[in-house]
């Protein structure tokens, strides 16, 4: 029987605040004030990232490097010509001095603009602000401090796309509350009644996913036992495959659902659910 992944997100949705498609599982969401600050910081982060790529500071860097390399090249040519002919080329020397002088000018401009932009607008500084906001959000949503961080297999999809997208890994924090398995993700708490969970099933099928989020490499000591393989699918894109994963299965008003869990993340779920694993 085909089951619906609880963690599916329709990228074509007209809503801006979609957490999962099945919003009836959302127990609570952060306040409008926190959500507005989050959106403002996300927009600031996007602008900062764009500025770091094509902004004035980047242009200054490009011109500084170009003129510095040009000056060094002309200086080298001047030295080689002098050693060979014992004649100092005034044109090459003037060009060398000009290029080096311009590189100094752009270095100064780079420093000036860097100070003007300020460290508070850097992507790293904004990431720190988002981290602070996440802590506020978790307090507001009553996420306990001992909630466990785990990764799940998500499906981000477009209804009109015929391309079979691999799964994505994304992180949630899980905990138990009033007989529910609760999962905190970004700005909401999602809840599934534990008494409706039918089974935790270990599957031996191959699952393909598009990224690797852990700090350790996929083939490092903690994960080598899971036989994860990597394949290059584009110049800057990679795809991973693994034989085996877990399906936490439950029903809601007759509809079968599942939560898909990598094998290295199943223990925190079993600690909460107190269930034995079955095989299929």
């Amino acid at each position: 029987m085909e089951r619906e992944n609880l963690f599916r997100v329709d990228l074509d949705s007209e809503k801006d605040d979609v957490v999962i498609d099945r919003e009836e599982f959302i127990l609570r969401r952060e306040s409008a004030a926190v959500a507005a600050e989050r959106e403002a910081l996300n927009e600031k982060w996007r602008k900062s990232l764009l500025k770091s790529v094509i902004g004035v500071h980047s242009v200054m860097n490009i011109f500084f490097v170009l003129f510095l390399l040009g000056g060094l090249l002309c200086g080298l040519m001047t030295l080689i010509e002098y050693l060979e002919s014992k004649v100092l080329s005034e044109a090459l020397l003037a060009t060398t001095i000009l290029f080096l002088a311009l590189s100094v000018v752009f270095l100064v401009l780079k420093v000036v603009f860097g100070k003007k932009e300020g460290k508070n607008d850097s992507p790293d500084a904004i990431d720190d602000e988002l981290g602070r906001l996440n802590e506020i959000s978790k307090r507001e949503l009553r996420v306990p401090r001992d909630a466990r961080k785990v990764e799940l297999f998500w499906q981000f999809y477009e209804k009109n796309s015929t391309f079979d997208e691999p799964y994505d890994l994304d992180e949630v924090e899980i905990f138990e509350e009033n007989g529910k398995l609760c999962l905190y993700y970004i700005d909401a708490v999602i809840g599934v009644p534990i008494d409706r969970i039918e089974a935790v099933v270990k599957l031996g099928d191959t699952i393909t996913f598009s990224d690797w989020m852990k700090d350790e490499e996929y083939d490092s000591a903690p994960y080598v036992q899971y036989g994860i393989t990597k394949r290059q699918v584009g110049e800057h894109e990679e795809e991973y495959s693994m034989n085996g994963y877990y399906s936490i299965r439950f029903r809601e008003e007759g509809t079968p659902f599942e939560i898909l869990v990598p094998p290295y993340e199943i223990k925190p779920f079993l600690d909460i659910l107190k269930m034995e694993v079955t095989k299929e």
Side-chain angles (χ1 to χ4, degrees):
M1 179 184 297
E2 186 173 349
R3 292 178 175 269
E4 182 177 334
N5 185 0
L6 179 62
F7 291 91
R8 296 176 79 241
V9 180
D10 178 10
L11 297 177
D12 290 329
S13 174
E14 295 180 358
K15 296 181 180 179
D16 295 329
D17 58 350
V18 173
V19 179
I20 54 174
D21 287 350
R22 296 286 190 163
E23 294 190 339
E24 62 266 29
F25 289 97
I26 296 177
L27 299 180
R28 50 188 179 268
R29 304 188 72 152
E30 64 189 18
S31 66
V34 174
E37 186 176 354
R38 183 184 300 282
E39 179 56 32
L41 281 173
N42 284 333
E43 181 62 23
K44 188 177 180 182
W45 186 88
R46 287 190 288 268
K47 289 181 178 179
S48 178
L49 188 63
L50 185 63
K51 185 187 293 184
S52 68
V53 175
I54 61 173
V56 173
H57 195 262
S58 297
V59 173
M60 297 301 171
N61 277 331
I62 292 171
F63 278 108
F64 165 69
V65 171
L66 287 177
F67 283 121
L68 180 60
L69 290 176
L72 293 174
L73 180 61
C74 288
L76 181 61
M77 292 171 62
T78 303
L79 178 61
I80 292 173
E81 183 169 324
Y82 177 77
L83 292 175
E84 290 179 348
S85 64
K86 302 301 180 182
V87 176
L88 187 64
S89 172
E90 294 183 0
L92 276 176
L93 181 60
T95 305
T96 300
I97 294 172
L98 176 62
F99 279 178
L100 291 177
L102 287 172
S103 71
V104 171
V105 169
F106 279 100
L107 176 62
V108 172
L109 290 174
K110 184 169 78 78
V111 172
V112 170
F113 276 99
K115 289 182 178 179
K116 186 177 180 181
E117 289 176 357
K119 294 182 179 179
N120 291 334
D121 291 332
S122 70
D124 288 342
I126 298 170
D127 278 342
D128 291 340
E129 283 294 296
L130 284 169
R132 176 193 59 80
L133 189 67
N134 285 338
E135 291 303 314
I136 294 174
S137 173
K138 287 197 285 187
R139 288 197 297 271
E140 187 176 85
L141 293 173
R142 304 191 301 280
V143 178
R145 289 188 175 275
D146 60 353
R148 302 282 296 277
K149 292 182 179 181
V150 297
E151 294 173 3
L152 300 178
F153 289 117
W154 289 64
Q155 288 174 288
F156 297 94
Y157 68 97
E158 296 175 297
K159 287 182 179 178
N160 298 324
S161 174
T162 57
F163 182 67
D164 187 17
E165 292 278 356
Y167 288 94
D168 286 276
L169 283 173
D170 213 341
E171 188 177 81
V172 302
E173 296 186 35
I174 66 171
F175 58 97
E176 182 182 0
E177 177 186 280
N178 299 328
K180 291 186 174 68
L181 170 64
C182 295
L183 307 99
Y184 167 72
Y185 179 69
I186 298 182
D187 62 356
V189 172
I190 300 159
V192 177
I194 292 176
D195 60 9
R196 295 186 192 174
I197 295 177
E198 303 165 343
V200 179
V201 181
K202 184 177 182 180
L203 301 168
D205 300 334
T206 299
I207 190 165
T208 302
F209 48 102
S210 62
D211 49 43
W212 179 255
M213 296 185 62
K214 298 293 186 184
D215 292 334
E216 302 90 346
E217 289 296 322
Y218 71 97
D219 54 356
S220 61
Y223 306 105
V224 68
Q225 61 183 301
Y226 303 109
I228 304 168
T229 59
K230 181 173 72 171
R231 182 172 71 92
Q232 201 74 29
V233 294
E235 186 178 355
H236 302 292
E237 295 180 38
E238 298 165 344
E239 193 173 88
Y240 298 82
S241 293
M242 177 169 50
N243 293 326
Y245 58 98
Y246 289 83
S247 169
I248 299 175
R249 297 179 173 179
F250 63 98
R251 290 178 180 270
E252 178 68 23
E253 297 183 352
T255 301
F257 289 92
E258 64 182 347
I259 300 171
L260 301 179
V261 186
Y264 48 82
E265 301 285 31
I266 195 61
K267 187 180 184 303
F269 285 98
L270 297 178
D271 291 342
I272 291 175
L273 299 177
K274 306 294 191 297
M275 298 178 68
E276 296 293 329
V277 174
T278 60
K279 291 186 178 181
E280 184 177 283

